[in-house]
């Protein structure tokens, strides 16, 4: 069964090429939820052995306190390079997760799961509190059609990522500013992840982000993805991280409404009431559930929920 760890926060997943010692060291200064040190697309075939050694050395150093999750994107299982990647990086003490590209079918994750269990049996026993997590990249029509099987393929699966450029290549699509050509795939991914209780759904890369117009596009894309059910976004440059993490955190108004609902519901329940209203809107179980989830996510994002609760402590159910 897939991981149900709701405490995982991956608002921004930033790719850093493992072939560059300069970029690896620079990443230590960043504040970001997840970094995926890349052994795949950003590394040429001749540099892959060197990149493996770079990331192994890097992950054996003191853990950066401002990066929540350290992950490595290995090469696709179908490439024939994945096993060498895994053998090299899995012993790294600070490795939290693996990003697996081109997951077209469940067998891709069966392979990775078997290697995890064989290489690190203690860390991947049923009672282990901290197994290495798997995040799967959905990049093709085949993978979208196989989402149900993929989501059930590993007990360590912790999220799905939509790779728009590869998906566009597979379907001979042209990416447009509206992104409507990706609506079906994005909706399918977000829905499948929720159906299988996967904590992370990470949206497509924003390819234009420099300057005011680029930043505006990045924010608009992030809001659109959030509206489709994604709770994070891939980043290809450190300058994207702040906007993405701010956008995928609950806003001030969103948090205040959620706290008011939670406080009102606590009082309604104590008074034996079921449905009630707030500001003229009916509040029932689904609304309360969403409010509680918003409060939980706000806490993970470092928002002072106790201060908000104090401001609204006198909220009553109407």
């Amino acid at each position: 069964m897939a991981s149900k760890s709701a405490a995982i926060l991956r608002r921004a997943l930033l790719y850093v090429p493992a072939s560059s010692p300069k970029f690896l060291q620079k990443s230590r200064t960043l504040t970001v939820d997840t970094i995926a040190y890349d052994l795949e697309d950003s590394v040429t075939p001749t540099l892959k052995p060197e990149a493996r050694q770079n990331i192994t050395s890097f992950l054996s150093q003191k853990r950066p306190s401002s990066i929540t999750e350290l992950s490595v994107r290995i090469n696709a299982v179908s490439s024939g390079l994945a096993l060498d990647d895994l053998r090299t990086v899995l012993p790294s003490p600070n490795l939290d997760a693996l990003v697996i590209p081109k997951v077209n079918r469940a067998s891709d994750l069966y392979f990775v799961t078997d290697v995890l269990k064989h290489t690190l049996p203690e860390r991947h026993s049923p009672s282990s509190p901290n197994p290495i997590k798997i995040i799967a990249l959905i990049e093709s029509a085949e993978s979208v059609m196989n989402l149900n099987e993929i989501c059930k393929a590993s007990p360590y699966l912790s999220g799905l990522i939509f790779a728009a450029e590869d998906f566009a290549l597979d379907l001979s699509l042209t990416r447009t500013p509206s992104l409507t050509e990706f609506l079906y795939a994005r909706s399918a991914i977000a829905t499948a992840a929720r159906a299988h209780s996967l904590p992370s759904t990470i949206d497509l890369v924003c390819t234009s982000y420099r300057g005011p117009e680029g930043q505006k596009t990045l924010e608009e894309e992030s809001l659109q993805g959030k509206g489709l059910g994604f709770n994070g976004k891939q980043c290809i440059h450190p300058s994207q991280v702040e906007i993405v993490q701010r956008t995928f955190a609950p806003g001030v108004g969103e948090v205040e409404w959620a706290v008011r609902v939670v406080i009102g519901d606590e009082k309604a329940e104590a008074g034996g009431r079921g449905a009630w209203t707030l500001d003229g809107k009916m509040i029932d179980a689904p609304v309360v559930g969403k409010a509680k989830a918003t409060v939980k996510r706000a806490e993970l994002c470092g928002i002072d929920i106790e201060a908000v609760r104090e401001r609204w402590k006198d909220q009553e159910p109407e």
Side-chain angles (χ1 to χ4, degrees):
M1 189 169 73
S3 168
K4 296 185 179 182
S5 179
I8 295 173
L9 189 69
R10 298 188 183 108
R11 294 167 295 177
L13 184 147
L14 173 66
Y15 293 108
V16 174
S19 56
S20 171
K22 175 184 175 181
F23 288 162
L24 290 175
Q25 291 306 317
K26 183 180 179 181
S27 74
R28 300 182 67 85
T29 67
L30 303 176
T31 299
V32 58
D33 290 344
T34 299
I35 289 187
Y37 295 103
D38 190 25
L39 293 172
E40 195 212 12
D41 283 351
S42 68
V43 181
T44 62
T46 57
L47 290 179
K48 289 188 188 291
E50 180 181 339
R52 291 186 189 112
Q53 296 308 313
N54 289 344
I55 193 58
T56 300
S57 173
F58 179 82
L59 290 175
S60 66
Q61 299 171 24
K62 183 179 179 182
R63 187 184 184 93
S65 60
S66 58
I67 304 170
T68 305
E69 182 178 59
L70 300 173
S71 69
V72 172
R73 178 164 72 169
I74 65 170
N75 288 279
V77 171
S78 59
S79 71
L81 300 171
L83 186 57
D84 285 342
D85 291 342
L86 292 168
R87 284 171 173 164
T88 304
V89 304
L90 286 184
S92 304
N94 291 321
L95 180 64
D96 299 311
L98 293 168
V99 177
I100 314 300
K102 298 176 176 60
V103 176
N104 289 323
R105 56 192 72 85
S107 58
D108 294 327
L109 296 189
Y110 296 159
F111 174 84
V112 176
T113 300
D114 286 346
V115 175
L116 286 174
K117 289 180 175 179
H118 179 77
T119 307
L120 300 171
E122 292 185 4
R123 192 170 176 184
H124 297 88
S125 68
S127 60
S128 173
N130 186 35
I132 292 175
K133 302 171 186 68
I134 293 173
I135 314 170
L137 273 154
I138 304 302
E139 309 193 25
S140 68
E142 182 182 9
S143 60
V144 171
M145 291 296 97
N146 288 334
L147 276 169
N148 186 53
E149 290 75 19
I150 289 169
C151 287
K152 296 186 291 186
S154 174
Y156 314 120
L157 184 62
S158 179
L160 302 176
I161 306 173
F162 178 49
E165 301 307 316
D166 288 272
F167 185 81
L169 176 64
D170 188 40
L171 272 71
S172 298
L173 299 175
T174 298
R175 179 170 175 155
T176 64
S178 70
L179 304 176
T180 53
E181 59 277 3
F182 300 128
L183 179 59
Y184 172 77
R186 293 164 85 194
S187 297
I189 289 166
T191 302
R194 175 57 59 200
H196 291 276
S197 300
L198 302 181
S200 289
T201 44
I202 302 173
D203 202 11
L204 45 71
V205 166
C206 179
T207 56
S208 58
Y209 59 89
R210 297 186 185 278
E213 280 302 311
Q215 292 183 347
K216 180 183 177 184
T217 299
L218 175 62
E219 185 169 12
E220 289 172 349
E221 279 193 17
S222 298
L223 287 169
Q224 185 191 65
K226 187 176 180 179
L228 287 171
F230 288 85
N231 54 26
K233 190 172 182 67
Q234 298 166 88
C235 298
I236 54 174
H237 192 276
S239 65
Q240 295 180 310
V241 170
E242 190 278 329
I243 291 174
V244 168
Q245 295 203 157
R246 171 167 42 83
T247 305
F248 280 96
V252 173
E254 192 178 357
V255 172
E256 292 213 340
W257 170 261
V259 168
R260 291 176 66 197
V261 170
V262 169
I263 292 173
D265 186 67
E266 291 168 353
K267 294 179 180 180
E269 186 175 355
R273 296 173 60 181
W276 48 282
T277 61
L278 179 63
D279 295 346
K281 298 177 181 178
M282 189 183 78
I283 307 298
D284 55 9
V287 176
V288 173
K290 182 179 178 182
K292 289 179 178 179
T294 299
V295 169
K296 176 69 173 176
R297 185 166 179 83
E299 289 177 326
L300 291 173
C301 293
I303 297 171
D304 188 351
I305 291 297
E306 288 306 313
V308 183
R309 286 187 69 101
E310 179 62 24
R311 286 200 301 273
W312 291 99
K313 62 183 178 181
D314 297 324
Q315 178 68 58
E316 295 289 336
E318 299 167 3

